[in-house]
Amino acid sequence: MSVVEKRRRLFWQDTDLETREVIGRWVDERPLLGDNITVYKLADTYYLETWYNDGCHSLDEMISKESDDGVKLEDKGGNIFGEYFMLTASNELMFCNSSLCYYTATKAEAA
């Protein structure tokens, strides 16, 4: 996804905000991180939005695949490390690679 496209997505139209389905919000509480993560769906497409501790932001369109473990979410732009997210049936967000799921994000407090 180009930088222009990412910037455009940062400024959602009110209608987009009204139609998106927030799946969940989590915090990456590993040392030195504290990133706030939101996963949502818009028109059957998953998006992963991250607000980093330093104020930076990313919004990534995800490729989703149903599995026995939940919904596997991979960055549409690719990941050279083979990492992905697993959204479990109990609404946990796990960070995974080709070998294992190595971290589960903490659910954020409801706003």
Side-chain angles (χ1 to χ4, degrees):
M1 180 180 311
S2 72
V3 172
V4 172
E5 176 67 12
K6 284 189 178 190
R7 284 188 182 150
R8 183 188 69 76
R9 290 173 184 252
L10 283 176
F11 301 102
W12 290 100
Q13 299 294 323
D14 289 338
T15 55
D16 287 341
L17 289 174
E18 292 171 5
T19 59
R20 72 181 186 168
E21 173 192 357
V22 175
I23 304 301
R25 291 183 172 89
W26 299 268
V27 178
D28 185 343
E29 292 187 332
R30 292 177 291 175
L32 305 175
L33 292 177
D35 305 335
N36 292 294
I37 302 165
T38 301
V39 173
Y40 61 90
K41 282 177 76 174
L42 180 63
D44 294 325
T45 301
Y46 283 90
Y47 294 89
L48 188 131
E49 181 176 41
T50 306
W51 285 96
Y52 299 96
N53 221 5
D54 64 1
C56 290
H57 175 269
S58 72
L59 177 61
D60 300 300
E61 184 174 337
M62 307 302 282
I63 297 171
S64 62
K65 183 178 179 183
E66 298 282 336
S67 75
D68 291 340
D69 298 322
V71 179
K72 181 179 182 179
L73 300 172
E74 295 181 272
D75 187 335
K76 186 175 180 180
N79 182 305
I80 62 171
F81 302 107
E83 295 176 322
Y84 62 92
F85 297 94
M86 181 64 67
L87 183 60
T88 69
S90 59
N91 208 34
E92 292 182 308
L93 185 66
M94 301 174 77
F95 294 61
C96 307
N97 60 31
S98 59
S99 301
L100 56 93
C101 289
Y102 56 88
Y103 178 74
T104 302
T106 302
K107 289 184 182 179
E109 297 291 322

